[in-house]
Each structure stands twice: as structure tokens, then as C-alpha cells.
Amino acid sequence: MTSSAKSRKRVLSGMRSTGKLHLGNYVGALQNWVRMQDEYECFFMVADWHALTTDYADTSRIKENSLEVTLDWLAAGLDPERSVIFIQSHVPAHAELHLLFSMITPLGWLERVPTYKEQRENIKDKDLGTYGFLGYPVLQAADILVYKADCVPVGEDQVAHVELTREIARRFNGVYGAAKAVFPEPQSLLTPAAKLPGTDGRKMSKSYGNTVMLTDPEPVVRQKLKTMVTDPARVRRSDPGNPDVCPVGDLHKIFSDKGTMAKVNEGCRSAGIGCIECKGWAADALVKLLNPMQERRKKFEENPRLAWDILEAGTERARKAAGETMEDVRAAMGMSLGYEGAK
Ligand code: TRP
Ligand code: SF4
């Protein structure tokens, strides 16, 4: 680690091992992570243990999914020279700290977490009445605090988890009050939530089947855009439309340049352009974004071992950083290894 790395604030974030990523994952998180590498000392984690909390019954795809996530990260521009890219399940300190935190975390804190209640109600095909699922946010707190991260870039849905992380940090520091607090209280850095619609106009999500994948080749991107829903008021070519209520209009706002945006605004409202043409421009913008990623991905796709090597090297670095924190944790709790004599 260089000395400049020491003075930079530390960031940790993660994604569950869900397989190939889509544009929503990119806009909602990954794009932001890529930018943060310039300013922060970054740790990016493939959260395969977190994937287990809901998908414990079938682990047949989990390793493959972790690799797919890693490939998309590297394709998007996460840089192993600048950032620590690693896999959670091979840094055992996460589990150790999770256990210690579980001793001091009141059940009520966990039962109150909004995602807990929501998912218990919404996910009916799996039994989520498990200890591990309830403890999900405690594991997340361990993920963050084992690196003493200062900042956690997350979307809106994860803010409650970072809040709980701060509460756990505060409690640990209070209970095991050493002269110096062991843990910082990390802040969430909210990713400005661009509303990214999928092809059916609902939020882009794997479970809706309305995604554009980062790996979709150009013809697939163009085809998906062709069938995308538009302003429902624009039935005929001669009807004027409104890009502000059109999912394709939303895509333009996120991905198109000012000139194209102006043409869309003017042409749509005056019925000067057709939706097919407008969708073509949106597809152009997406292809322009995805092309360089797919170029970068090729090398790793042809030789996935390269990506695993990156993950393994990152995991080694993560273990070292996590190990340093665990020394402090044990010392604060009076449980360091080594004989200290009778008290
Ligand atoms: N829970 C996060 C999600 O579902 C993933 C995650 C696990 C995470 N550990 C983390 C995110 C630590 C930020 C920090 O998206
Ligand atoms: Fe939507 Fe474009 Fe059609 Fe307007 S012209 S309704 S913005 S697809």
C-alpha cells in the first residue's frame, strides 16, 4: 500500500453473487464505484455469503455467479491495480466479526430492518425463517467494519443497513470501551438514484425479465429497445408525445448527449419524429456505452482464470487488512492470544 493510499478515505461496497449484471446494476452502483477509485481506497466485495442467505438450498450456480459478477466489474472498469476486488467467503474474518457482533446486537434491531419484513412477506417460495436471514444486516455490518470503512456507496434500499452498521459500531465501542474507539461510524454515500426503466416501463430488475444486460450484443440491445414501451398517449405517428412520461425518454435522459436530448424533446412533442427513430437513438447511446465494456470483457471471457487470479490476489489483500482489525477487536475485548499472567 502506498502512503497516499493511507491518507485516502476507505470505501467498502459489495454485490451479491447474482450472475451477469444489467444496466440497472451499472447505473445504480457500478458506474459510481468506477469513479470512486480515483478518490478513495476502495474494497469491492463479491458477497457470496449474502447470496446464501436467500439461496442456501441450491449452491450449484453460486461460484459461477461470483465469477460472472467479477467479469462484469472488470469490464465496467474496476481496476485491480487501484482497488481490492475480493470474494467474501474466503475472508473468514467476516464470519468471526459477525459472530462477535451477534452477541451485542439486540433482536429488536434486526426485526425492525425494513428489508427483513418486506422480503419475508414477498419471497414465498423459500423459507426465510432462518437465523442467517435475520442476521443478514449483522453480516453486512461485519463486512463494512472489518475494513474500518469510512464510506459505503449504496442505493436507497441499503441505507437502513448502513445505519444499523453505525449502531453496531457505536455499541461495540461503548461496550468494549478501550481508550480509542475500535470502529469508525461509516457513512453511506447515496448513489444518486437515476430512475432506470426496463423494457416494460417498470424498474429494471432481473425478476421482471425486462433488463438490458451489460453483455447483450448490439443486435440484442436494438431488438430489446424496439419492443420497449413508450408514452401510451402516443398511439399514432401523428400524435404528439411527451418524453417526460416515456420510458424511452428516461433512457435518453440518462445516456444521451444534449444534442440528441434536444432532438427528442422537440421531435416527440411536435410529432416530428417517430418512436422507432427515437428508440434507435437510445440504442445508439447504449451501444456506445456497452461497446468498450464488452471489448474489455473479451480477454477475461476467453481466459476466466485471469479474473479468478485477480479475485484471489484481492482476497489475499483483504485478508491482511481484515486481520489487522481483528487484532484490535481481540485486544479491545481482552481476548488477545498469549499468556498475560494472573489478574
Ligand atoms: N446487501 C447488499 C445488497 O444486497 C450487498 C452487500 C453485502 C453490501 N455486504 C455489503 C453492500 C457491504 C455494501 C456493504 O446489495
Ligand atoms: Fe417516447 Fe421517443 Fe416515442 Fe417520444 S418519440 S414517445 S420519447 S419513444
Side-chain angles (χ1 to χ4, degrees):
M1 203 125 307
T2 61
S3 60
S4 73
K6 279 244 157 68
S7 59
R8 281 182 298 162
K9 283 200 167 171
R10 192 177 270 188
V11 153
L12 175 122
S13 200
M15 277 186 207
R16 295 154 44 109
S17 320
T18 49
K20 287 195 166 76
L21 302 179
H22 56 72
L23 268 178
N25 303 125
Y26 180 73
V27 174
L30 191 48
Q31 183 179 34
N32 194 34
W33 293 8
V34 171
R35 292 191 193 121
M36 294 185 91
Q37 299 181 109
D38 298 327
E39 208 183 318
Y40 297 91
E41 183 196 10
C42 294
F43 286 72
F44 297 120
M45 171 185 73
V46 180
D48 55 345
W49 275 343
H50 273 91
L52 279 186
T53 58
T54 51
D55 296 335
Y56 56 83
D58 179 8
T59 53
S60 60
R61 302 277 305 269
I62 198 159
K63 192 167 174 183
E64 183 186 327
N65 284 347
S66 295
L67 180 63
E68 289 292 355
V69 167
T70 309
L71 289 179
D72 277 332
W73 285 2
L74 296 169
L78 290 193
D79 173 6
E81 296 291 320
R82 287 185 290 162
S83 300
V84 180
I85 300 171
F86 71 99
I87 183 160
Q88 181 183 32
S89 64
H90 291 274
V91 186
H94 291 240
E96 191 180 352
L97 193 56
H98 170 250
L99 175 103
L100 296 175
F101 285 167
S102 77
M103 304 296 172
I104 60 166
T105 305
L107 275 180
W109 289 7
L110 300 178
E111 287 159 349
R112 251 184 277 121
V113 171
T115 44
Y116 177 69
K117 287 196 215 131
E118 261 167 49
Q119 299 211 38
R120 286 282 320 254
E121 281 160 24
N122 294 337
I123 303 180
K124 289 281 178 230
D125 58 328
K126 296 164 195 156
D127 178 8
L128 296 184
T130 59
Y131 179 50
F133 187 68
L134 180 67
Y136 184 116
V138 183
L139 181 57
Q140 187 159 348
D143 297 338
I144 296 166
L145 293 173
V146 86
Y147 302 103
K148 299 187 181 181
D150 304 293
C151 310
V152 190
V154 283
E156 195 84 62
D157 63 318
Q158 297 291 316
V159 171
H161 293 164
V162 181
E163 175 62 34
L164 188 76
T165 300
R166 275 201 296 280
E167 284 174 88
I168 292 176
R170 213 172 298 145
R171 188 158 176 120
F172 185 98
N173 291 337
V175 173
Y176 307 109
K180 186 166 145 281
V182 174
F183 294 115
E185 291 183 24
Q187 300 296 317
S188 37
L189 287 181
L190 197 59
T191 309
K195 181 182 150 228
L196 189 77
T199 48
D200 60 357
R202 293 186 290 175
K203 180 182 166 20
M204 189 178 286
S205 160
K206 206 173 167 183
S207 51
Y208 293 154
N210 63 358
T211 57
V212 174
M213 307 304 289
L214 300 186
T215 40
D216 280 344
E218 176 164 351
V220 174
V221 174
R222 295 200 181 274
Q223 187 52 39
K224 284 184 175 175
L225 270 263
K226 263 191 199 132
T227 60
M228 186 152 177
V229 300
T230 57
D231 175 358
R234 207 178 172 199
V235 182
R236 283 172 301 256
R237 168 71 174 77
S238 54
D239 297 331
N242 179 1
D244 292 336
V245 299
C246 173
V248 180
D250 289 333
L251 285 192
H252 278 296
K253 282 176 199 149
I254 299 168
F255 299 109
S256 290
D257 56 39
K258 284 215 177 72
T260 309
M261 200 58 239
K263 282 199 298 186
V264 170
N265 260 319
E266 210 284 312
C268 177
R269 291 174 207 277
S270 65
I273 58 169
C275 290
I276 304 275
E277 192 176 11
C278 179
K279 288 169 159 185
W281 297 339
D284 291 344
L286 293 190
V287 167
K288 194 172 155 201
L289 173 75
L290 297 179
N291 251 342
M293 291 190 208
Q294 296 176 0
E295 261 323 295
R296 258 196 304 266
R297 201 179 202 277
K298 266 190 198 146
K299 166 173 103 178
F300 298 110
E301 227 159 33
E302 281 158 16
N303 189 1
R305 155 143 246 128
L306 288 177
W308 267 117
D309 287 348
I310 288 169
L311 215 46
E312 278 184 36
T315 301
E316 202 56 56
R317 288 167 71 189
R319 263 193 221 131
K320 188 163 170 290
E324 286 166 12
T325 301
M326 291 314 295
E327 289 296 315
D328 295 347
V329 166
R330 291 187 202 104
M333 296 177 73
M335 296 173 77
S336 298
L337 190 64
Y339 181 71
E340 286 173 6
K343 290 256 158 89

